[in-house]
Amino acid sequence: MNIRIAVIYYSATGNVHALAEALARGVASAGAEVRLRRVPELAPRSAIDSNPAWRDHCDATAHIEEATVDDLVWADGFAFGTPTRFGNVSSQLKQFLDMTGKIWQEGELTGKAATGFTSSYEVHGGQETTLVALYNVMHHWGSIIVPTGYADYDLIHAAGGNPYGISIRDGDEDLAKHVYAAAEYHGARFARIAGALKPLRAATA
C-alpha cells in the first residue's frame, strides 16, 4: 500500500526545519512517500532582516515548496512543526491551518493520522502547551493524533522525554543528536500507523 505523508512546518531560524527533515527521513525509511513543505512567511522584511539567522534561513530554504491544502488532501497523514510562540502555535502555521475549512467540511481530514513537533528557546519555553494547542485543531478535524508517548522509552527519554511530540531547545547541541534520532524513529512509526489507518478510513467512509 502506498502511504503518503505531508510534513508541513514553519521555521524562523532553522530549528524546526531540522526537526522536519529528521522526521521526513524517518517517514521515508518506512517506505512512505513524503512531501516536505513550509508555510508562507508572514513577518515583514524589516523584522527578518534585523535577525541575520532569520534572514539566512529564509534564503537557504527558499527552494522548498510552500504548503497548500491540497497537500493535506493528498496525504494519509500529516506532521506539523512550529516554534513556540508564547506557549502557542506560530501565526504562520496557524494561518495555514485556518485555511482548511473547506476540506474539513468535505471530510478530507477525518481519520487521517496527525502529529506535531516544536522548538523553544528555553527548556520550559512552552513546548508541551504548543503541541496541545496544535492538537486542538486535529480534534476538530477528526484526525487521529499520534503522539510520541514512550513507544521507545530509552529513545524518547534520551531526547528529553516529551510524550506529546518531538521537541528541541535552541542551542542544545548535546541533546540535539538524541532528538533527531527520536524524530526519525517517530517519523517511521507515524508512517506505519498512517498506513494502518488508511484501509479503516475507506471502510468507515
Side-chain angles (χ1 to χ4, degrees), residues 12-13 44-61:
T13 58
R45 181 184 295 269
S46 59
I48 299 170
D49 290 341
S50 70
N51 183 334
W54 196 351
R55 167 49 60 198
D56 289 347
H57 181 67
C58 282
D59 293 342
T61 57

Side-chain angles (χ1 to χ4, degrees), residues 23-34 187 191:
L23 200 140
R25 288 194 298 270
V27 169
S29 74
E33 184 178 356
V34 59

Side-chain angles (χ1 to χ4, degrees), residues 23 31 63 74 120 122 128 130 156 167 171 197:
L23 200 140
H63 66 284
W74 168 86
S120 64
E122 302 287 357
E128 294 182 357
T130 296
I156 300 303
S167 62
L197 290 172

Side-chain angles (χ1 to χ4, degrees), residues 9-176:
Y9 73 96
Y10 171 71
S11 186
T13 58
N15 292 312
V16 177
H17 170 76
L19 291 181
E21 289 191 317
L23 200 140
R25 288 194 298 270
V27 169
S29 74
E33 184 178 356
V34 59
R35 287 185 182 178
L36 181 65
R37 299 287 188 265
R38 60 183 177 86
V39 299
E41 179 61 81
L42 302 179
R45 181 184 295 269
S46 59
I48 299 170
D49 290 341
S50 70
N51 183 334
W54 196 351
R55 167 49 60 198
D56 289 347
H57 181 67
C58 282
D59 293 342
T61 57
H63 66 284
I64 298 176
E65 290 186 45
E66 290 189 349
T68 71
V69 294
D70 289 338
D71 293 315
L72 301 181
V73 175
W74 168 86
D76 299 305
F78 12 80
F80 293 105
T82 176
T84 63
R85 289 294 183 263
F86 303 107
N88 214 322
V89 178
S90 66
S91 59
Q92 290 86 348
L93 182 63
K94 185 61 167 60
Q95 184 193 54
F96 175 79
L97 297 175
D98 286 345
M99 295 166 55
T100 60
K102 183 175 184 293
I103 60 172
W104 163 66
Q105 289 179 330
E106 293 171 348
E108 293 286 354
L109 307 173
T110 303
K112 292 186 176 183
T115 196
F117 52 100
T118 190
S119 171
S120 64
Y121 184 73
E122 302 287 357
V123 173
H124 298 290
Q127 294 177 356
E128 294 182 357
T129 58
T130 296
L131 291 166
V132 170
L134 174 65
Y135 293 153
N136 285 335
V137 177
M138 277 84 255
H139 286 299
H140 283 258
W141 286 353
S143 302
I144 310 301
I145 297 168
V146 183
T148 50
Y150 295 96
D152 184 316
Y153 179 83
D154 292 338
L155 195 61
I156 300 303
H157 175 72
N162 189 340
Y164 297 90
I166 297 296
S167 62
I168 196 168
R169 182 171 74 95
D170 182 35
D172 195 337
E173 298 300 328
D174 292 334
L175 189 64

Side-chain angles (χ1 to χ4, degrees), residues 170-193:
D170 182 35
D172 195 337
E173 298 300 328
D174 292 334
L175 189 64
K177 62 182 180 181
H178 299 293
V179 175
Y180 296 143
E184 292 190 28
Y185 167 80
H186 184 58
R189 175 174 172 265
F190 178 71
R192 291 192 294 269
I193 291 172

